């Protein structure tokens, strides 16, 4: 899936939330949210901040290695 690579590239710059990635990639929000869920389940990203519905994520070591 080409979009997963685009999202990983967008996350590598530091802590981001899904909205940041939507703006950077021009992908639909529903698609970015689905990809975030997949990446988190695979251990490629991790939440570093969570308050209510606002979350910030960063790449894990495994995610950096994949990139």
């Amino acid at each position: 899936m080409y979009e997963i690579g685009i999202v990983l590239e967008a996350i590598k710059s530091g802590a981001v939330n899904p909205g940041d990635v939507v703006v950077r990639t021009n992908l639909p929000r529903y698609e970015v949210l689905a990809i975030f869920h997949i990446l988190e389940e695979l251990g490629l990203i991790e939440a570093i901040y969570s308050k209510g519905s606002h979350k910030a994520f960063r790449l894990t070591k495994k995610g950096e290695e994949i990139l």
Side-chain angles (χ1 to χ4, degrees):
M1 216 166 125
Y2 173 72
E3 290 82 3
I4 289 177
I6 293 172
V7 171
L8 282 172
E9 283 290 329
I11 296 171
K12 80 175 185 179
S13 63
V16 296
N17 63 44
D20 296 332
V21 175
V22 168
V23 170
R24 291 178 188 175
T25 63
N26 290 320
L27 292 171
R29 183 168 181 77
Y30 73 89
E31 193 168 338
V32 170
L33 292 172
I35 291 170
F36 265 63
H37 181 71
I38 292 166
L39 294 175
E40 194 171 19
E41 289 294 316
L42 292 173
L44 301 178
I45 64 172
E46 62 187 352
I48 56 170
Y49 173 83
S50 179
K51 185 171 185 178
S53 64
H54 181 74
K55 289 185 177 181
F57 296 85
R58 69 174 174 204
L59 290 178
T60 62
K61 295 287 184 198
K62 185 178 176 182
E64 291 172 1
E65 290 171 6
I66 298 263
L67 262 179

Short mmCIF file of all heavy atoms in Angstrom, two decimals:
data_model
loop_
_atom_site.label_atom_id
_atom_site.label_comp_id
_atom_site.label_asym_id
_atom_site.label_seq_id
_atom_site.Cartn_x
_atom_site.Cartn_y
_atom_site.Cartn_z
N MET A 1 0.84 -1.19 0.00
CA MET A 1 0.00 0.00 0.00
C MET A 1 0.88 1.24 0.00
O MET A 1 1.57 1.54 0.96
CB MET A 1 -0.91 -0.04 1.23
CG MET A 1 -2.26 0.51 1.01
SD MET A 1 -3.30 0.03 2.39
CE MET A 1 -3.86 1.63 2.87
N TYR A 2 0.85 1.95 -1.07
CA TYR A 2 1.66 3.14 -1.28
C TYR A 2 1.42 4.20 -0.20
O TYR A 2 2.35 4.87 0.23
CB TYR A 2 1.34 3.68 -2.67
CG TYR A 2 1.97 5.00 -3.00
CD1 TYR A 2 3.34 5.08 -3.25
CD2 TYR A 2 1.21 6.15 -3.08
CE1 TYR A 2 3.92 6.29 -3.57
CE2 TYR A 2 1.78 7.36 -3.39
CZ TYR A 2 3.13 7.43 -3.64
OH TYR A 2 3.71 8.62 -3.95
N GLU A 3 0.18 4.34 0.23
CA GLU A 3 -0.16 5.39 1.20
C GLU A 3 0.52 5.19 2.54
O GLU A 3 0.83 6.16 3.23
CB GLU A 3 -1.68 5.46 1.39
CG GLU A 3 -2.45 5.99 0.21
CD GLU A 3 -2.72 4.94 -0.86
OE1 GLU A 3 -2.35 3.75 -0.67
OE2 GLU A 3 -3.29 5.29 -1.90
N ILE A 4 0.79 3.95 2.94
CA ILE A 4 1.45 3.71 4.22
C ILE A 4 2.84 4.33 4.20
O ILE A 4 3.26 4.96 5.18
CB ILE A 4 1.51 2.20 4.54
CG1 ILE A 4 0.11 1.70 4.89
CG2 ILE A 4 2.47 1.93 5.69
CD1 ILE A 4 0.01 0.23 5.16
N GLY A 5 3.55 4.19 3.12
CA GLY A 5 4.87 4.81 2.99
C GLY A 5 4.80 6.32 3.07
O GLY A 5 5.65 6.96 3.71
N ILE A 6 3.79 6.90 2.46
CA ILE A 6 3.62 8.36 2.50
C ILE A 6 3.37 8.81 3.93
O ILE A 6 3.93 9.80 4.40
CB ILE A 6 2.45 8.79 1.59
CG1 ILE A 6 2.79 8.54 0.13
CG2 ILE A 6 2.09 10.25 1.81
CD1 ILE A 6 1.63 8.76 -0.82
N VAL A 7 2.54 8.08 4.66
CA VAL A 7 2.23 8.44 6.04
C VAL A 7 3.47 8.28 6.92
O VAL A 7 3.77 9.14 7.75
CB VAL A 7 1.04 7.61 6.57
CG1 VAL A 7 0.85 7.81 8.06
CG2 VAL A 7 -0.24 7.99 5.82
N LEU A 8 4.22 7.20 6.75
CA LEU A 8 5.45 7.02 7.54
C LEU A 8 6.41 8.17 7.29
O LEU A 8 7.03 8.69 8.22
CB LEU A 8 6.12 5.69 7.20
CG LEU A 8 5.50 4.45 7.82
CD1 LEU A 8 6.16 3.19 7.25
CD2 LEU A 8 5.63 4.47 9.33
N GLU A 9 6.56 8.59 6.05
CA GLU A 9 7.43 9.72 5.72
C GLU A 9 6.95 10.99 6.42
O GLU A 9 7.76 11.78 6.90
CB GLU A 9 7.48 9.95 4.21
CG GLU A 9 8.34 8.97 3.46
CD GLU A 9 9.83 9.14 3.71
OE1 GLU A 9 10.29 10.27 3.96
OE2 GLU A 9 10.53 8.14 3.67
N ALA A 10 5.65 11.20 6.47
CA ALA A 10 5.09 12.39 7.11
C ALA A 10 5.30 12.37 8.62
O ALA A 10 5.43 13.42 9.24
CB ALA A 10 3.60 12.51 6.78
N ILE A 11 5.35 11.18 9.21
CA ILE A 11 5.51 11.06 10.66
C ILE A 11 6.97 11.19 11.07
O ILE A 11 7.27 11.62 12.17
CB ILE A 11 4.93 9.71 11.15
CG1 ILE A 11 3.43 9.65 10.89
CG2 ILE A 11 5.20 9.50 12.64
CD1 ILE A 11 2.82 8.29 11.14
N LYS A 12 7.91 10.87 10.18
CA LYS A 12 9.32 10.81 10.57
C LYS A 12 9.88 12.15 11.04
O LYS A 12 10.87 12.18 11.75
CB LYS A 12 10.17 10.24 9.45
CG LYS A 12 10.53 11.19 8.35
CD LYS A 12 11.47 10.52 7.38
CE LYS A 12 11.94 11.51 6.33
NZ LYS A 12 12.85 10.91 5.39
N SER A 13 9.23 13.24 10.71
CA SER A 13 9.73 14.56 11.09
C SER A 13 9.55 14.86 12.57
O SER A 13 10.10 15.84 13.08
CB SER A 13 9.07 15.65 10.26
OG SER A 13 7.68 15.66 10.51
N GLY A 14 8.79 14.04 13.29
CA GLY A 14 8.60 14.27 14.71
C GLY A 14 7.17 13.97 15.13
O GLY A 14 6.42 13.33 14.41
N ALA A 15 6.81 14.44 16.31
CA ALA A 15 5.49 14.17 16.87
C ALA A 15 4.41 14.84 16.02
O ALA A 15 4.46 16.05 15.78
CB ALA A 15 5.42 14.67 18.30
N VAL A 16 3.47 14.04 15.58
CA VAL A 16 2.38 14.55 14.74
C VAL A 16 1.07 13.91 15.18
O VAL A 16 1.05 12.86 15.81
CB VAL A 16 2.59 14.24 13.25
CG1 VAL A 16 3.81 14.93 12.71
CG2 VAL A 16 2.67 12.75 12.98
N ASN A 17 -0.01 14.57 14.82
CA ASN A 17 -1.31 13.97 15.02
C ASN A 17 -1.88 13.66 13.63
O ASN A 17 -1.35 14.12 12.62
CB ASN A 17 -2.23 14.87 15.85
CG ASN A 17 -2.53 16.19 15.18
OD1 ASN A 17 -2.82 16.25 13.99
ND2 ASN A 17 -2.48 17.27 15.93
N PRO A 18 -2.94 12.86 13.55
CA PRO A 18 -3.48 12.51 12.24
C PRO A 18 -3.84 13.73 11.38
O PRO A 18 -3.66 13.72 10.17
CB PRO A 18 -4.71 11.68 12.57
CG PRO A 18 -4.37 11.06 13.88
CD PRO A 18 -3.59 12.11 14.62
N GLY A 19 -4.32 14.79 12.00
CA GLY A 19 -4.66 16.00 11.25
C GLY A 19 -3.46 16.61 10.55
O GLY A 19 -3.56 17.10 9.42
N ASP A 20 -2.30 16.59 11.21
CA ASP A 20 -1.06 17.07 10.58
C ASP A 20 -0.74 16.27 9.33
O ASP A 20 -0.33 16.82 8.31
CB ASP A 20 0.13 16.96 11.54
CG ASP A 20 0.00 17.81 12.79
OD1 ASP A 20 -0.66 18.87 12.73
OD2 ASP A 20 0.58 17.42 13.82
N VAL A 21 -0.92 14.96 9.42
CA VAL A 21 -0.60 14.08 8.30
C VAL A 21 -1.59 14.29 7.15
O VAL A 21 -1.20 14.27 5.99
CB VAL A 21 -0.55 12.61 8.76
CG1 VAL A 21 -0.34 11.68 7.58
CG2 VAL A 21 0.56 12.42 9.79
N VAL A 22 -2.84 14.55 7.46
CA VAL A 22 -3.84 14.85 6.43
C VAL A 22 -3.39 16.08 5.63
O VAL A 22 -3.41 16.08 4.40
CB VAL A 22 -5.24 15.07 7.04
CG1 VAL A 22 -6.20 15.66 6.01
CG2 VAL A 22 -5.78 13.77 7.60
N VAL A 23 -2.95 17.12 6.34
CA VAL A 23 -2.51 18.35 5.68
C VAL A 23 -1.25 18.10 4.85
O VAL A 23 -1.15 18.56 3.71
CB VAL A 23 -2.26 19.46 6.73
CG1 VAL A 23 -1.58 20.66 6.11
CG2 VAL A 23 -3.57 19.86 7.38
N ARG A 24 -0.29 17.36 5.40
CA ARG A 24 0.98 17.12 4.70
C ARG A 24 0.83 16.22 3.48
O ARG A 24 1.59 16.36 2.53
CB ARG A 24 1.99 16.48 5.65
CG ARG A 24 2.46 17.41 6.73
CD ARG A 24 3.42 16.71 7.65
NE ARG A 24 3.72 17.56 8.79
CZ ARG A 24 4.44 17.20 9.82
NH1 ARG A 24 4.97 15.99 9.86
NH2 ARG A 24 4.66 18.03 10.80
N THR A 25 -0.11 15.29 3.52
CA THR A 25 -0.19 14.29 2.46
C THR A 25 -1.36 14.48 1.50
O THR A 25 -1.39 13.86 0.45
CB THR A 25 -0.32 12.88 3.07
OG1 THR A 25 -1.55 12.80 3.81
CG2 THR A 25 0.86 12.55 3.96
N ASN A 26 -2.33 15.28 1.89
CA ASN A 26 -3.57 15.45 1.11
C ASN A 26 -4.38 14.16 0.97
O ASN A 26 -5.19 14.03 0.08
CB ASN A 26 -3.28 16.04 -0.27
CG ASN A 26 -2.83 17.47 -0.19
OD1 ASN A 26 -3.36 18.25 0.60
ND2 ASN A 26 -1.83 17.82 -0.97
N LEU A 27 -4.13 13.20 1.86
CA LEU A 27 -4.93 11.98 1.88
C LEU A 27 -6.21 12.25 2.67
O LEU A 27 -6.22 13.10 3.56
CB LEU A 27 -4.15 10.84 2.55
CG LEU A 27 -2.93 10.31 1.81
CD1 LEU A 27 -2.15 9.34 2.70
CD2 LEU A 27 -3.34 9.62 0.52
N PRO A 28 -7.27 11.52 2.39
CA PRO A 28 -8.51 11.69 3.15
C PRO A 28 -8.31 11.32 4.63
O PRO A 28 -7.56 10.40 4.94
CB PRO A 28 -9.49 10.71 2.50
CG PRO A 28 -8.88 10.32 1.19
CD PRO A 28 -7.41 10.52 1.33
N ARG A 29 -8.98 12.05 5.50
CA ARG A 29 -8.84 11.83 6.94
C ARG A 29 -9.15 10.39 7.34
O ARG A 29 -8.43 9.79 8.13
CB ARG A 29 -9.73 12.80 7.72
CG ARG A 29 -9.58 12.69 9.22
CD ARG A 29 -10.24 13.86 9.92
NE ARG A 29 -10.09 13.77 11.35
CZ ARG A 29 -8.98 14.08 12.03
NH1 ARG A 29 -7.91 14.48 11.40
NH2 ARG A 29 -8.94 13.96 13.34
N TYR A 30 -10.21 9.81 6.78
CA TYR A 30 -10.58 8.44 7.14
C TYR A 30 -9.45 7.47 6.78
O TYR A 30 -9.19 6.51 7.50
CB TYR A 30 -11.90 8.02 6.48
CG TYR A 30 -11.79 7.76 4.99
CD1 TYR A 30 -11.48 6.50 4.50
CD2 TYR A 30 -12.00 8.79 4.07
CE1 TYR A 30 -11.37 6.26 3.14
CE2 TYR A 30 -11.90 8.56 2.71
CZ TYR A 30 -11.58 7.29 2.25
OH TYR A 30 -11.46 7.07 0.90
N GLU A 31 -8.76 7.73 5.68
CA GLU A 31 -7.67 6.85 5.26
C GLU A 31 -6.46 7.00 6.19
O GLU A 31 -5.85 6.01 6.58
CB GLU A 31 -7.27 7.18 3.82
CG GLU A 31 -6.39 6.14 3.20
CD GLU A 31 -6.24 6.33 1.70
OE1 GLU A 31 -7.10 6.97 1.06
OE2 GLU A 31 -5.25 5.81 1.17
N VAL A 32 -6.15 8.22 6.57
CA VAL A 32 -5.03 8.46 7.49
C VAL A 32 -5.32 7.81 8.84
O VAL A 32 -4.44 7.16 9.41
CB VAL A 32 -4.76 9.98 7.65
CG1 VAL A 32 -3.79 10.25 8.78
CG2 VAL A 32 -4.23 10.56 6.34
N LEU A 33 -6.53 7.94 9.34
CA LEU A 33 -6.89 7.33 10.62
C LEU A 33 -6.77 5.81 10.56
O LEU A 33 -6.26 5.18 11.49
CB LEU A 33 -8.30 7.73 11.04
CG LEU A 33 -8.48 9.20 11.41
CD1 LEU A 33 -9.96 9.52 11.62
CD2 LEU A 33 -7.67 9.56 12.64
N ALA A 34 -7.19 5.21 9.46
CA ALA A 34 -7.07 3.76 9.29
C ALA A 34 -5.60 3.34 9.25
O ALA A 34 -5.21 2.35 9.88
CB ALA A 34 -7.79 3.31 8.02
N ILE A 35 -4.78 4.10 8.55
CA ILE A 35 -3.36 3.79 8.46
C ILE A 35 -2.68 3.95 9.82
O ILE A 35 -1.85 3.13 10.20
CB ILE A 35 -2.67 4.65 7.38
CG1 ILE A 35 -3.17 4.22 5.99
CG2 ILE A 35 -1.15 4.55 7.46
CD1 ILE A 35 -2.75 5.14 4.85
N PHE A 36 -3.04 4.99 10.57
CA PHE A 36 -2.49 5.17 11.91
C PHE A 36 -2.81 3.94 12.77
O PHE A 36 -1.96 3.46 13.51
CB PHE A 36 -3.04 6.43 12.57
CG PHE A 36 -2.17 7.64 12.41
CD1 PHE A 36 -1.91 8.16 11.16
CD2 PHE A 36 -1.61 8.26 13.51
CE1 PHE A 36 -1.11 9.28 11.01
CE2 PHE A 36 -0.81 9.37 13.37
CZ PHE A 36 -0.56 9.89 12.12
N HIS A 37 -4.04 3.47 12.67
CA HIS A 37 -4.45 2.30 13.45
C HIS A 37 -3.59 1.08 13.08
O HIS A 37 -3.10 0.36 13.95
CB HIS A 37 -5.93 2.01 13.23
CG HIS A 37 -6.43 0.85 14.01
ND1 HIS A 37 -6.60 0.88 15.38
CD2 HIS A 37 -6.78 -0.39 13.62
CE1 HIS A 37 -7.02 -0.30 15.79
NE2 HIS A 37 -7.15 -1.09 14.74
N ILE A 38 -3.41 0.86 11.80
CA ILE A 38 -2.59 -0.26 11.33
C ILE A 38 -1.14 -0.11 11.81
O ILE A 38 -0.55 -1.07 12.32
CB ILE A 38 -2.64 -0.36 9.78
CG1 ILE A 38 -4.04 -0.78 9.33
CG2 ILE A 38 -1.58 -1.33 9.26
CD1 ILE A 38 -4.29 -0.58 7.85
N LEU A 39 -0.58 1.07 11.64
CA LEU A 39 0.82 1.30 12.03
C LEU A 39 1.02 1.11 13.53
O LEU A 39 2.04 0.57 13.96
CB LEU A 39 1.27 2.70 11.60
CG LEU A 39 1.36 2.94 10.10
CD1 LEU A 39 1.70 4.41 9.82
CD2 LEU A 39 2.38 2.02 9.45
N GLU A 40 0.04 1.54 14.30
CA GLU A 40 0.13 1.38 15.76
C GLU A 40 0.05 -0.10 16.13
O GLU A 40 0.81 -0.58 16.97
CB GLU A 40 -0.98 2.18 16.45
CG GLU A 40 -0.76 2.34 17.93
CD GLU A 40 -1.74 3.31 18.56
OE1 GLU A 40 -2.80 3.61 17.99
OE2 GLU A 40 -1.42 3.76 19.68
N GLU A 41 -0.85 -0.83 15.50
CA GLU A 41 -0.98 -2.27 15.76
C GLU A 41 0.29 -3.03 15.38
O GLU A 41 0.65 -4.01 16.02
CB GLU A 41 -2.18 -2.85 15.01
CG GLU A 41 -3.52 -2.43 15.56
CD GLU A 41 -3.78 -2.97 16.95
OE1 GLU A 41 -3.50 -4.17 17.19
OE2 GLU A 41 -4.26 -2.20 17.80
N LEU A 42 0.97 -2.60 14.33
CA LEU A 42 2.21 -3.24 13.88
C LEU A 42 3.43 -2.81 14.70
O LEU A 42 4.52 -3.33 14.51
CB LEU A 42 2.46 -2.93 12.40
CG LEU A 42 1.48 -3.54 11.41
CD1 LEU A 42 1.75 -3.01 10.01
CD2 LEU A 42 1.58 -5.06 11.44
N GLY A 43 3.24 -1.84 15.59
CA GLY A 43 4.34 -1.36 16.42
C GLY A 43 5.29 -0.43 15.69
O GLY A 43 6.43 -0.25 16.11
N LEU A 44 4.81 0.21 14.62
CA LEU A 44 5.66 1.12 13.85
C LEU A 44 5.55 2.56 14.34
O LEU A 44 6.44 3.37 14.09
CB LEU A 44 5.33 1.04 12.37
CG LEU A 44 5.49 -0.34 11.73
CD1 LEU A 44 5.09 -0.30 10.27
CD2 LEU A 44 6.90 -0.86 11.90
N ILE A 45 4.44 2.89 14.99
CA ILE A 45 4.27 4.20 15.62
C ILE A 45 3.74 3.99 17.03
O ILE A 45 3.21 2.94 17.35
CB ILE A 45 3.33 5.14 14.83
CG1 ILE A 45 1.90 4.58 14.78
CG2 ILE A 45 3.87 5.42 13.44
CD1 ILE A 45 0.87 5.53 14.19
N GLU A 46 3.93 5.02 17.86
CA GLU A 46 3.42 4.96 19.23
C GLU A 46 2.87 6.32 19.62
O GLU A 46 3.35 7.36 19.16
CB GLU A 46 4.52 4.54 20.21
CG GLU A 46 5.68 5.51 20.28
CD GLU A 46 6.83 5.02 21.12
OE1 GLU A 46 6.69 3.98 21.78
OE2 GLU A 46 7.89 5.68 21.10
N ALA A 47 1.83 6.29 20.44
CA ALA A 47 1.26 7.53 20.96
C ALA A 47 2.19 8.06 22.05
O ALA A 47 2.60 7.33 22.94
CB ALA A 47 -0.13 7.28 21.52
N ILE A 48 2.53 9.34 21.95
CA ILE A 48 3.39 9.94 22.96
C ILE A 48 2.63 10.98 23.78
O ILE A 48 3.13 11.47 24.78
CB ILE A 48 4.65 10.58 22.35
CG1 ILE A 48 4.29 11.61 21.28
CG2 ILE A 48 5.55 9.51 21.77
CD1 ILE A 48 5.46 12.44 20.81
N TYR A 49 1.41 11.29 23.33
CA TYR A 49 0.57 12.22 24.05
C TYR A 49 -0.87 11.83 23.78
O TYR A 49 -1.23 11.53 22.64
CB TYR A 49 0.82 13.66 23.56
CG TYR A 49 -0.14 14.67 24.15
CD1 TYR A 49 0.09 15.20 25.42
CD2 TYR A 49 -1.27 15.08 23.47
CE1 TYR A 49 -0.79 16.12 25.96
CE2 TYR A 49 -2.15 15.99 24.01
CZ TYR A 49 -1.90 16.52 25.26
OH TYR A 49 -2.77 17.42 25.81
N SER A 50 -1.67 11.83 24.81
CA SER A 50 -3.08 11.51 24.63
C SER A 50 -3.90 12.25 25.67
O SER A 50 -3.71 12.08 26.87
CB SER A 50 -3.29 10.00 24.77
OG SER A 50 -4.64 9.69 24.61
N LYS A 51 -4.79 13.10 25.19
CA LYS A 51 -5.70 13.81 26.08
C LYS A 51 -7.04 13.93 25.35
O LYS A 51 -7.13 14.62 24.34
CB LYS A 51 -5.16 15.19 26.43
CG LYS A 51 -6.02 15.91 27.45
CD LYS A 51 -5.36 17.17 27.95
CE LYS A 51 -6.23 17.75 29.05
NZ LYS A 51 -5.64 18.94 29.61
N GLY A 52 -8.01 13.19 25.83
CA GLY A 52 -9.29 13.16 25.15
C GLY A 52 -9.14 12.52 23.79
O GLY A 52 -8.55 11.46 23.65
N SER A 53 -9.62 13.19 22.77
CA SER A 53 -9.50 12.65 21.42
C SER A 53 -8.23 13.11 20.71
O SER A 53 -7.97 12.71 19.58
CB SER A 53 -10.72 13.05 20.59
OG SER A 53 -10.77 14.45 20.44
N HIS A 54 -7.44 13.96 21.37
CA HIS A 54 -6.21 14.46 20.76
C HIS A 54 -5.04 13.54 21.12
O HIS A 54 -4.76 13.30 22.29
CB HIS A 54 -5.90 15.88 21.23
CG HIS A 54 -4.67 16.45 20.60
ND1 HIS A 54 -4.64 16.87 19.29
CD2 HIS A 54 -3.44 16.63 21.09
CE1 HIS A 54 -3.43 17.29 19.01
NE2 HIS A 54 -2.68 17.16 20.10
N LYS A 55 -4.37 13.03 20.10
CA LYS A 55 -3.20 12.18 20.31
C LYS A 55 -2.08 12.63 19.39
O LYS A 55 -2.33 13.08 18.27
CB LYS A 55 -3.51 10.72 19.98
CG LYS A 55 -4.40 10.02 20.96
CD LYS A 55 -4.54 8.56 20.60
CE LYS A 55 -5.38 7.83 21.63
NZ LYS A 55 -5.51 6.41 21.32
N ALA A 56 -0.86 12.52 19.87
CA ALA A 56 0.33 12.78 19.05
C ALA A 56 1.12 11.48 18.98
O ALA A 56 1.21 10.74 19.96
CB ALA A 56 1.16 13.89 19.65
N PHE A 57 1.68 11.22 17.83
CA PHE A 57 2.40 9.98 17.57
C PHE A 57 3.81 10.26 17.08
O PHE A 57 4.09 11.33 16.54
CB PHE A 57 1.68 9.15 16.50
CG PHE A 57 0.32 8.68 16.89
CD1 PHE A 57 -0.79 9.49 16.73
CD2 PHE A 57 0.14 7.42 17.42
CE1 PHE A 57 -2.05 9.06 17.09
CE2 PHE A 57 -1.12 6.97 17.78
CZ PHE A 57 -2.21 7.79 17.62
N ARG A 58 4.67 9.26 17.24
CA ARG A 58 6.00 9.30 16.65
C ARG A 58 6.36 7.89 16.20
O ARG A 58 5.71 6.91 16.61
CB ARG A 58 7.03 9.81 17.65
CG ARG A 58 7.29 8.84 18.79
CD ARG A 58 8.42 9.31 19.66
NE ARG A 58 8.50 8.40 20.81
CZ ARG A 58 9.03 8.72 21.96
NH1 ARG A 58 9.51 9.92 22.15
NH2 ARG A 58 9.07 7.85 22.93
N LEU A 59 7.38 7.80 15.38
CA LEU A 59 7.85 6.50 14.93
C LEU A 59 8.53 5.77 16.08
O LEU A 59 9.19 6.39 16.91
CB LEU A 59 8.88 6.65 13.80
CG LEU A 59 8.40 7.13 12.45
CD1 LEU A 59 9.57 7.26 11.49
CD2 LEU A 59 7.37 6.20 11.87
N THR A 60 8.39 4.48 16.11
CA THR A 60 9.14 3.65 17.05
C THR A 60 10.48 3.31 16.37
O THR A 60 10.69 3.61 15.20
CB THR A 60 8.39 2.35 17.37
OG1 THR A 60 8.23 1.61 16.15
CG2 THR A 60 7.03 2.62 17.99
N LYS A 61 11.35 2.65 17.09
CA LYS A 61 12.62 2.17 16.51
C LYS A 61 12.33 1.28 15.32
O LYS A 61 12.99 1.36 14.28
CB LYS A 61 13.47 1.44 17.54
CG LYS A 61 13.96 2.31 18.67
CD LYS A 61 15.04 3.23 18.18
CE LYS A 61 15.58 4.01 19.35
NZ LYS A 61 16.31 5.19 18.95
N LYS A 62 11.35 0.41 15.49
CA LYS A 62 10.96 -0.50 14.39
C LYS A 62 10.48 0.29 13.17
O LYS A 62 10.83 -0.03 12.04
CB LYS A 62 9.86 -1.44 14.90
CG LYS A 62 9.44 -2.51 13.92
CD LYS A 62 8.38 -3.41 14.57
CE LYS A 62 7.86 -4.45 13.61
NZ LYS A 62 6.81 -5.28 14.20
N GLY A 63 9.72 1.34 13.41
CA GLY A 63 9.25 2.19 12.33
C GLY A 63 10.38 2.91 11.61
O GLY A 63 10.39 3.03 10.39
N GLU A 64 11.37 3.36 12.39
CA GLU A 64 12.54 4.00 11.79
C GLU A 64 13.33 3.03 10.93
O GLU A 64 13.82 3.39 9.86
CB GLU A 64 13.43 4.60 12.88
CG GLU A 64 12.81 5.78 13.59
CD GLU A 64 13.62 6.24 14.80
OE1 GLU A 64 14.69 5.64 15.08
OE2 GLU A 64 13.18 7.20 15.46
N GLU A 65 13.44 1.80 11.40
CA GLU A 65 14.18 0.78 10.65
C GLU A 65 13.48 0.47 9.32
O GLU A 65 14.14 0.28 8.30
CB GLU A 65 14.30 -0.50 11.46
CG GLU A 65 15.23 -0.38 12.65
CD GLU A 65 15.18 -1.58 13.59
OE1 GLU A 65 14.49 -2.57 13.26
OE2 GLU A 65 15.83 -1.51 14.66
N ILE A 66 12.14 0.45 9.34
CA ILE A 66 11.39 0.16 8.12
C ILE A 66 11.60 1.27 7.09
O ILE A 66 11.72 0.99 5.90
CB ILE A 66 9.88 0.02 8.44
CG1 ILE A 66 9.65 -1.13 9.38
CG2 ILE A 66 9.04 -0.05 7.19
CD1 ILE A 66 9.25 -2.43 8.79
N LEU A 67 11.64 2.51 7.56
CA LEU A 67 11.85 3.62 6.64
C LEU A 67 13.24 3.55 6.06
O LEU A 67 13.52 3.85 4.97
CB LEU A 67 11.66 4.96 7.35
CG LEU A 67 10.33 5.62 7.20
CD1 LEU A 67 10.28 6.92 7.97
CD2 LEU A 67 9.95 5.87 5.77
#
